[in-house]
Amino acid sequence: MASRHHWREVVLFLVALMLPSAVLVGVGLRVIAQERELAETRVADEWLRAVGQIRQDLLSRLERIKLEELGALTSKSEPVRARAYVNPEVQLVATVEDGRIVLPWEANGAQIAGSRLSDVVFADWMQQGERAEFQRQDHRTAIESYGRAIEIAQHPVQSGYARLSLARVLADAGRDQESRAQYRQVFALPTIITDEHGMPLALYAAVRLLDARLDQRQILGRLRAEIDNPEWMAPGTTHMLCGLLTTLTETASDSSVARSAGDLWNPIADRIPATELALALQRDFPRLGLRYPTLSDNANASRWISFGDGEWLVGAGALPEEPRETVIAVNAHAMFAPLQDADLWPGGQIGEVRALTSGDGNGQLLGASLPGLEVVFPSSADDTSMAGTQRSLYGIALLLVLTITFFGAYLVWRDVRRELRHADSRSQFVSSVSHELKTPLTSIRMFAETLQTKDAPDAQMRTDYLGTIVGESERLTRLLNNVLDLSKIEQDRMIYRRHHTSLAEVTRRAARAMEYPLEQEGFTLNVDCQDRLPPVSVDPDALEQAILNLLTNAMKYSGDSREIDLRLGTENGHGVIEVTDRGMGIAPHELEHLTETFYRVPSPENQLVPGTGLGLTLVEHMARAHGGDLRVRSVVGEGSTFTIRLPLEGAA
């Protein structure tokens, strides 16, 4: 009935407090929603204007860059191989031939090499040497053929190519000195002397020299010069340089050469992403749909496409007087950086311009002139534009109401749970006390009725029966004393009558009082008392009751063990009374709850043991009231030790 009463209070409280709160929350949310709708409309208009301004600003700068680069390209008679463009934002300027982008490293060297190497007379001598070298393994004939090719060479590409072949066959023939001399001559060629793939012939020679661990410092200097060269490198050249640096780092005989080679890794690695993007642009160019407008074609002249996961913005163009069609790639992030100016954005809330790579962007597209780009609004932009102060006040008020509501509900819920827990404990206590009273009363009545019968037992049996009656009476007395003491403690009326007492005397008196019940249950009590202890100012009856409670608990929870230790000694100026059993033991997480009123360890074994949950509560109260404490040591399955510590008079 008590629990129903409390739950009724909870329901009434929740209805009385939460119903007005719900109405207030509903009205507040409705007002906030209306304000949000108006604010979102205003924000949308402001952002549309901002998007138009951002689009115009970005296109203007892109078109200016394109015109400047086209003008610079027109003034040059040859394709530009260097990456030093007019504008630092530009990543690539390349011409288009027959619908294909001609990348800077393909502009001249590879075509020249291909045409020179295909010269009929030169190619014939080279083929003779290759047949002799690879098919017949005739090194002498191969050397003569390659030497003749060198003699008739009309271009450094031809002589360099032939010297590489001659050096190779000389090495196979065991003429290492002559082979290395040829490699050194090729290594001295300038970088623009390349094969038909755009690979510098000098780097092929550098590979062979490094394999022989020769000229390492000279090769390091050549690699540094190649990396510092601002001209574009063919992809193969870049990877060959990486391989040469790796070889130098691992095999250099001079540690300074190895360190210097390692320092060149980052500069060459920085070139790789741009080279890969340029190759991807060349491959994907046909599907981009870029046209090559003139100045009169305004619609397409302002079209820039996002490329490479938003890394580049790519546009096409051609001046009226210049027939060359050109593609220009600009660093997108560098173009977006000036757009972080707060003056361009509504309310100073800076958004983000980015590439739309996933196809499902949540921003505002920049239009057909800049396909694949979107403006993403800052998440806090609408909060800034709307009436933020009033909305915050509504939010704070609602939060306060909800906080009070839930805090009140929590308090009621906590009180009800405490009351229900106490009610359950009291109910369990009443049940336990009833059982504890019934057992000794049954024994007392049974033996008393036996003594009243006509066929009375002999003198020894009468003595035993009377002993049982006295023992059970003492048990009842201890139980009733525990209940009465708890009542006094709860009412703060517990009085201890203290006077100087011998701990040894009280301990032995408690042991004698437990002799009969211990004997009846088959227990052995080992008593170890130190006699010469200073007197202690205690209530001897309360102390004896505490020791009896510990001994009674030891009997109950000893399990199959039938041995209990009672020891009296000293420790750090305290008298120490220890009761040790060898029974069930107590789990560590249960130790802190042992002295709570009515608490019993909730284990299946304990449910079979009668008890009230009062004994340890009273023991701890007695110990603390006398300036001491109660301590517990326990191991599950091995037993427990309960210790009463009381300060000795005159001890430090």
Side-chain angles (χ1 to χ4, degrees):
M1 294 301 293
S3 61
R4 290 183 182 179
H5 173 70
H6 284 294
W7 281 116
R8 209 164 28 244
E9 290 180 356
V10 172
V11 172
L12 292 175
F13 173 81
L14 293 177
V15 171
L17 187 58
M18 296 189 69
L19 185 58
S21 300
V23 173
L24 180 60
V25 169
V27 173
L29 291 177
R30 178 57 182 165
V31 172
I32 292 175
Q34 290 177 345
E35 291 184 355
R36 178 185 290 273
E37 292 173 1
L38 294 174
E40 287 177 350
T41 302
R42 291 194 300 269
V43 168
D45 294 340
E46 292 176 359
W47 279 101
L48 285 176
R49 289 193 295 271
V51 168
Q53 183 177 355
I54 291 169
R55 181 194 304 113
Q56 186 61 39
D57 182 79
L58 185 57
L59 282 175
S60 298
R61 288 190 291 118
L62 287 170
E63 289 303 306
R64 176 184 56 78
I65 290 173
K66 180 167 68 175
L67 290 175
E68 291 176 355
E69 297 298 335
L70 289 175
L73 184 62
T74 303
S75 63
K76 297 178 176 63
S77 58
E78 296 182 354
V80 179
R81 291 174 59 89
R83 301 175 64 180
Y85 301 117
V86 177
N87 295 275
E89 299 90 351
V90 176
Q91 299 294 298
L92 174 68
V93 176
T95 58
V96 178
E97 296 179 3
D98 299 327
R100 179 181 179 275
I101 294 179
V102 179
L103 296 174
W105 60 83
E106 302 173 333
N108 45 26
Q111 289 86 342
I112 293 174
S115 63
R116 297 297 184 181
L117 294 176
S118 61
D119 180 79
V120 176
V121 179
F122 175 80
D124 182 60
W125 282 109
M126 291 297 297
Q127 290 173 3
Q128 291 183 36
E130 290 171 355
R131 284 195 295 270
E133 179 184 3
F134 298 112
Q135 296 180 10
R136 300 194 302 275
Q137 305 296 317
D138 185 355
H139 293 159
R140 185 178 62 81
T141 302
I143 292 172
E144 292 176 354
S145 298
Y146 292 144
R148 182 57 181 161
I150 294 173
E151 293 175 0
I152 66 171
Q154 301 296 319
H155 192 275
V157 171
Q158 295 176 336
S159 63
Y161 194 82
R163 287 184 187 279
L164 285 174
S165 300
L166 177 59
R168 182 182 64 244
V169 73
L170 285 172
D172 292 341
R175 298 160 63 176
D176 293 336
Q177 294 296 330
E178 298 176 63
S179 172
R180 293 166 185 171
Q182 294 296 327
Y183 279 132
R184 287 190 174 102
Q185 291 191 51
V186 178
F187 178 69
L189 293 174
T191 305
I192 60 173
I193 305 302
T194 66
D195 62 8
E196 66 275 21
H197 304 294
M199 299 286 291
L201 298 181
L203 296 186
Y204 289 115
V207 171
R208 299 301 182 185
L209 292 173
L210 279 185
D211 289 342
R213 300 195 176 188
L214 299 172
D215 305 335
Q216 293 177 341
R217 191 170 294 278
Q218 291 84 350
I219 292 174
L220 175 64
R222 181 64 180 271
L223 295 181
R224 182 181 288 108
E226 295 294 339
I227 293 172
D228 292 340
N229 189 345
E231 293 188 353
W232 282 88
M233 294 181 186
T237 304
T238 305
H239 293 295
M240 183 175 286
L241 287 174
C242 292
L244 289 170
L245 289 175
T246 301
T247 303
L248 269 178
T249 304
E250 296 175 352
T251 64
S253 56
D254 189 339
S255 60
S256 64
V257 173
R259 286 195 302 270
S260 299
D263 294 339
L264 293 176
W265 260 105
N266 287 338
I268 191 63
D270 291 342
R271 290 194 174 200
I272 294 176
T275 303
E276 293 178 347
L277 269 179
L279 288 171
L281 179 61
Q282 183 187 57
R283 182 182 63 250
D284 298 342
F285 180 73
R287 69 174 181 80
L288 295 181
L290 283 174
R291 293 174 55 190
Y292 313 102
T294 63
L295 291 180
S296 60
D297 192 356
N298 294 325
N300 286 283
S302 300
R303 192 164 185 264
W304 291 80
I305 295 177
S306 174
F307 184 78
D309 290 336
E311 295 293 326
W312 286 358
L313 295 176
V314 181
L319 293 175
E321 65 276 8
E322 175 58 48
R324 284 186 292 182
E325 298 170 344
T326 307
V327 170
I328 301 174
V330 182
N331 187 316
H333 301 296
M335 297 303 298
F336 296 157
L339 300 177
Q340 299 303 304
D341 185 358
D343 294 338
L344 293 174
W345 304 86
Q349 295 292 319
I350 299 176
E352 179 185 5
V353 180
R354 68 185 185 189
L356 181 63
T357 57
S358 61
D360 56 350
N362 54 2
Q364 177 68 44
L365 296 178
L366 281 176
S369 299
L370 296 166
L373 294 181
E374 64 175 353
V375 176
V376 179
F377 305 153
S379 58
S380 60
D382 55 341
D383 294 333
T384 303
S385 302
M386 67 185 301
T389 303
Q390 187 175 3
R391 185 181 174 196
S392 299
L393 290 175
Y394 277 121
I396 293 173
L398 293 178
L399 180 62
L400 183 60
V401 170
L402 293 177
T403 301
I404 294 174
T405 300
F406 287 110
F407 182 68
Y410 165 74
L411 292 178
V412 173
W413 172 77
R414 187 190 64 176
D415 291 343
V416 169
R417 285 200 58 181
R418 184 173 63 245
E419 290 298 325
L420 291 176
R421 187 167 57 249
H422 287 174
D424 290 340
S425 299
R426 284 191 290 268
S427 176
Q428 182 180 0
F429 168 72
V430 171
S431 176
S432 299
V433 168
S434 300
H435 179 76
E436 290 283 299
L437 291 173
K438 183 177 180 180
T439 301
L441 285 175
T442 301
S443 299
I444 292 172
R445 181 174 181 177
M446 179 184 69
F447 286 107
E449 288 177 350
T450 302
L451 291 173
Q452 287 179 338
T453 59
K454 294 180 180 180
D455 299 330
D458 57 27
Q460 180 61 40
M461 292 185 67
R462 283 198 303 272
T463 301
D464 293 339
Y465 288 175
L466 291 173
T468 301
I469 293 172
V470 171
E472 293 298 330
S473 299
E474 291 177 348
R475 177 179 172 186
L476 281 175
T477 301
R478 287 195 298 271
L479 176 60
L480 293 175
N481 286 339
N482 284 342
V483 175
L484 293 174
D485 288 346
L486 176 65
S487 176
K488 293 177 182 179
I489 290 173
E490 288 183 341
Q491 298 175 22
D492 199 18
R493 293 191 298 107
M494 186 65 181
I495 299 175
Y496 294 100
R497 294 175 174 80
R498 303 168 63 167
H499 55 82
H500 291 82
T501 304
S502 169
L503 290 180
E505 181 181 345
V506 175
T507 303
R508 287 195 174 92
R509 190 164 63 243
R512 287 195 298 271
M514 289 296 295
E515 284 180 355
Y516 182 80
L518 288 169
E519 181 182 351
Q520 291 295 105
E521 298 292 335
F523 279 91
T524 299
L525 179 63
N526 303 315
V527 181
D528 179 13
C529 285
Q530 183 176 341
D531 291 322
R532 297 181 180 180
L533 292 180
V536 179
S537 179
V538 297
D539 184 332
D541 294 334
L543 178 58
E544 181 182 354
Q545 184 67 29
I547 299 173
L548 292 174
N549 285 344
L550 294 182
L551 290 173
T552 301
N553 280 352
M555 289 177 57
K556 291 180 180 179
Y557 300 105
S558 284
D560 296 332
S561 173
R562 285 296 178 268
E563 189 172 355
I564 298 174
D565 297 334
L566 174 61
R567 187 181 76 85
L568 171 63
T570 60
E571 180 182 292
N572 297 328
H574 287 74
V576 176
I577 302 171
E578 290 185 348
V579 175
T580 302
D581 65 67
R582 297 166 179 78
M584 304 175 185
I586 305 168
H589 65 277
E590 298 287 354
L591 295 178
E592 59 180 317
H593 302 291
L594 288 179
T595 57
E596 294 178 5
T597 306
F598 306 131
Y599 184 81
R600 302 189 67 204
V601 176
S603 65
E605 297 84 358
N606 287 349
Q607 300 302 319
L608 302 176
V609 178
T612 59
L614 297 180
L616 294 179
T617 303
L618 299 174
V619 173
E620 184 190 44
H621 187 275
M622 186 281 304
R624 292 188 181 277
H626 289 81
D629 58 16
L630 173 67
R631 298 185 179 183
V632 185
R633 300 191 310 274
S634 183
V635 178
V636 176
E638 296 183 11
S640 306
T641 297
F642 291 83
T643 304
I644 300 174
R645 300 173 74 251
L646 298 172
L648 297 173
E649 292 189 359

